[in-house]
Amino acid sequence: MKDEITRDERVANLKGMGCSRKRVEDARFTQGKGNYVDDIKLPGMLHGDFVRSPYAHARVKSINIDAAMALPGVVAVLTAKDLEPLNLHWMPTLAGDKQMVLADGKVLFQGQEVAFVVANDRYIAADAVELVEVDYEELEVIVDPFKSLQSDVVLREDLVAEDGSIPNGAHGPRKHPNHIFTWEAGEEEATNQVIDNAEVVATEEMYYHRTHPCPLETCGSVASMDKVNGKLTLWGTFQAPHVVRTVASLLSGIEEHNIRVVSPDIGGGFGNKVGVYPGYVCSIVASIVTGVPVKWVEDRMENLMSTAFARDYWMKGKISATKEGKITGLHCHVTADHGAFDACADPTKFPAGFMNICTGSYDIPVAYLGVDGVYTNKAPGGVSYRCSFRVTEAVYFIERMIEVLAIELNMDPAELRSINFIKKEQFPYTAALGWEYDSGDYQTAWDKALLAVDYKGLRAEQAERVEAFKRGETRKVMGIGLSFFTEIVGAGPVKNCDILGMGMFDSCEIRIHPTGSAVARLGTISQGQGHATTFAQILATEIGLSAESITIEEGDTDTAPYGLGTYGSRSTPVAGAAAAMAGRKIRAKAQMIAAYLLEVHDNDVEFDVDRFVVKGSPEQFKTMKEIAYAAYNQAIPGLEPGLEAVSYYDPPNMTYPFGAYVCVMDIDVDTGVPEIRRFYALDDCGTRINPMVIEGQIHGGLTEALAVALGQEIAYDDMGNVKTATLMDFFLPTAWEVPNYETDFTVTPSPHHPIGAKGVGESPHVGGVPCFSNAVQDAFRPFGNRHTNMPHDHWRIWQTANNLGMHD
Ligand code: MCN
Ligand code: CUM
């Protein structure tokens, strides 16, 4: 048989890996056809709303619901007392702690859930919230973790024994009633010895402020308990729907097969939707109590005040080096403010996430990390926000320490990085704090980045600008922000990583239809990352059917195979690998079918783009479409009918994407306004599945990095009031603030991933925050700046200039 199109055309038709295929989901999203939680409307559905605490710390003396219940349209008002008989007034957190679902005797942060009002519509519910009378007795508020560890005020009375002793927490002994855990990695004594005897030592303290992912769609759920068939259906903003099903079953006692959890379209997650919130539990209980569906959707203020925050890390570092700039040791201590309940979303064995990647991209012989988790009167949550489990903190820490060391050594910070990079031939590289980096070529990426921006030229220009400033010819200073990051994504080997005991594998199930199209279901869930587009591309290349004819489904636990969900940029490293492996199973069966049809031995056919050909005789072939049909209409000896496969993939290691970023900034010292002149981002995420989607991820992550570095903050006053709970106060960048990003790449495949791909979703944020911050700090370096804390908003930048005497 002669082919009508060329091989290149056949490859192009597949729209497989490497192709900038347009996002298939966007036709729906851009035409108002998305289906989000709040779009779900069920017959007879009721609406829930929370009474929340105005105080950050108070005893709840009484709750009077009479007036609220008397309001027409109010169906129920739930308090902790109602949940207690069901043992649902508290719930387990992902970090091994427990959290009040509704205030049980006291409140511990402003905005904490106190009562749940259920009414015929959202407006009545909101009115009734105002009618619930709560009698509070204010208690002393602690918002400073250092003070918390010194205070006589016990925040979590439930965690102190009657004799006053302090029982162990989920992560071992606790030093104080307000202490959560101590977590250590590396060798402290050996590190101290090296640092004490070093030629050069730089020390610095830095605060990575509290912030919030703030997805445009807030969190919400709709619960529907069908009492006739005993089935609970829960729609919600879940980044890990299967885990929610298991937890819901364990908590409620409803058998797991009777629970269906669905994540419909999600309007941005960014980590905010990993945690389990009281609203989810209350909507379930309310549906069980009332017998009709109950919806709960939070508003913007509720989202910013009470759901998963990010960061809030006080970091203290010491780094030592030789006079020539070779780093010899690194010591890091963190005081981690986890708020009122430890509800961080980390793999169980890692209470401070992967903070122990804080040796960064550098070959550091000895290191130590100690983290102390502390309770305060702030919202619980933690970790989330494009972070890869605290990797933003780790990279910010090391990239600031490098800059400070460069000042100490009076050396160029780009050169200092070069001197210390882990070298290409050292991979796989075992870092001092335990991780095995899979692959990397840092120097090549760095050289490419520095060349692209003409780094030398920029430094010369900066030096001239400093002189001009000193001569009084300009009021603008120039900063060159550098960052080189190594990410750790793809949790992760089941032997190391679990969430609530569930090993962190992931899954893909493929069903090929007789006409050669397919549906594939995965254990992950897109929140905007474009999985429907990109997973189909992996499968297209692996099984030889066009991506256009492969439907991707995620998020419905009744149909998708069990998976651990989407966060920590794990979808590509784990579910992407499962997709490739399932695709290969399809291919293996297809090979047998092809051989049968072509009347040759199995080993005499080979895969070629979209078909199996007889080796050495390319005119003899069967396309995957033909093979799919044969799988259903031919009786093939020794083979079952049909063409399906499933893979549960336990990755042998995580993947370690990396990148080199440069930001050039001009700062007006009189207004404190930074102007980003240039931003160059080189990312290496191994094999690239869809370059356009990758670029979109990078633009998004960089913009969120800009936000965090230059102004975004969840700030509290001493009374524990949240000062930034609206978008008037909480900085979300718009097109106005966002510069033009130049993206670039190198490709260093992961050696253990079936298609060599690493994750990328969180990389730009992880590398971006230190890059923007370093740009601000570098602008002031020639005037004596060493370190100033983020967020670098206009006021703080102005203050920096002022403190350096630049307004005199
Ligand atoms: N990709 C690719 N080639 C690679 C790696 C990734 O083409 N080598 C593509 C993937 O196919 C996928 C996207 O890039 O379409 C992101 O993949 P990956 O890095 O595996 O990350 P996840 O899909 O697991 O997404 C999670 C990550 C996280 S943890 C946060 S936080 C974040 C982020 O994604 N939240 C987002 N990006 C987001 N983007 C949007 N629009 N919305 C969010 O909530
Ligand atoms: Cu850490 S934010 Mo993402 O992992 O969902």
Side-chain angles (χ1 to χ4, degrees), residues 327 357-364 394-395 398-399 402 416-423 426-427 429 431 437 441-443 446 483-487 656-660:
I327 299 171
I357 189 95
C358 66
T359 51
S361 314
Y362 311 106
D363 184 15
I364 301 181
V395 171
I398 184 67
E399 290 305 286
I402 289 279
L416 180 58
R417 284 177 174 84
S418 283
I419 293 174
N420 288 288
F421 279 142
I422 300 162
K423 291 184 182 56
Q426 286 176 279
F427 291 93
Y429 171 85
Y437 296 21
D441 182 357
Y442 299 165
Q443 192 64 53
W446 196 228
S483 90
F484 196 99
F485 67 93
T486 297
E487 257 269 64
Y656 296 75
F658 58 92

Side-chain angles (χ1 to χ4, degrees), residues 239 270-271 274 383-389 566-568 762:
Q239 288 183 230
F270 307 109
V274 176
V383 161
S384 48
Y385 199 3
R386 248 181 161 135
C387 59
S388 314
F389 305 123
T566 292
Y567 41 84
E762 290 167 312

Side-chain angles (χ1 to χ4, degrees), residues 268-271 385-387 527-531 534 566-573 685-690 693-694 697 757-762:
F270 307 109
Y385 199 3
R386 248 181 161 135
C387 59
Q527 308 126 43
Q529 294 89 346
H531 290 179
T534 53
T566 292
Y567 41 84
S569 304
R570 66 186 296 282
S571 303
T572 304
C685 56
T687 306
R688 289 148 51 90
I689 298 155
N690 183 322
V693 167
I694 291 172
Q697 287 293 307
K758 303 181 178 186
V760 78
E762 290 167 312

Side-chain angles (χ1 to χ4, degrees), residues 142 144-151 153 155 176 178 374-376:
I142 306 177
D144 176 334
F146 297 99
K147 285 186 189 152
S148 188
L149 288 180
Q150 306 294 326
S151 177
V153 178
L155 300 179
H176 180 276
N178 298 336
V374 185
Y375 290 119
T376 60

Side-chain angles (χ1 to χ4, degrees), residues 624-643:
M624 281 303 297
K625 263 180 178 290
E626 291 171 314
I627 294 166
Y629 194 66
Y632 291 89
N633 87 334
Q634 299 253 346
I636 302 173
L639 278 187
E640 288 177 4
L643 197 49

